[in-house]
Amino acid sequence: MGGGSLGQVATELTPYPDGPYLLRGEFRLTDPDGAEIDPHRKTIALCRCGASRRKPFCDGTHKLIGFRAPGGEAVPVSLSRPIRKPSS
C-alpha cells in the first residue's frame, strides 16, 4: 500500500574517530543555565576535544591540536528523561 505513518525520529550520538560527536535526530540543547540553544538543523557536530571556540559545537580545532579518540557505533539517545529545572 505504500503509505506510511509518521513516526518519531530516532536520536543517536555517534563518536567519530579523532573527531566530534555527531548528534542526529530530534533533540533539545541547553546551556548550563537552561537556556535553549537553537542549532538550526537536525544533525550537529559537538566538540569532543575541548578546544573548540564555538562550544558546544565543533569548529575543526581537533585537527590542529592532534586530538585522538576512538570512533564507535551510533548510540540511541533517550529523550524520555525529565528536564531538570534550575534551582531558585
Side-chain angles (χ1 to χ4, degrees):
M1 276 221 152
S5 62
L6 294 176
Q8 186 174 4
V9 176
T11 303
E12 62 182 26
L13 189 68
T14 307
Y16 268 61
D18 305 328
Y21 289 113
L22 282 194
L23 182 61
R24 293 183 178 100
E26 296 290 332
F27 54 85
R28 181 174 172 254
L29 288 179
T30 59
D31 69 15
D33 296 323
E36 191 162 349
I37 300 169
D38 183 0
H40 305 289
R41 56 185 54 111
K42 300 255 185 215
T43 299
I44 60 171
L46 296 173
C47 178
R48 183 160 71 136
C49 73
S52 173
R53 292 185 181 182
R54 295 186 53 230
K55 289 179 192 141
F57 306 105
C58 174
D59 67 358
T61 300
H62 59 274
K63 295 174 192 171
L64 298 174
I65 65 170
F67 176 73
R68 297 285 178 248
E73 297 287 323
V75 176
V77 177
S78 170
L79 299 178
S80 61
R81 267 210 221 163
I83 297 171
R84 187 172 38 134
K85 302 220 181 228
S87 55
S88 319

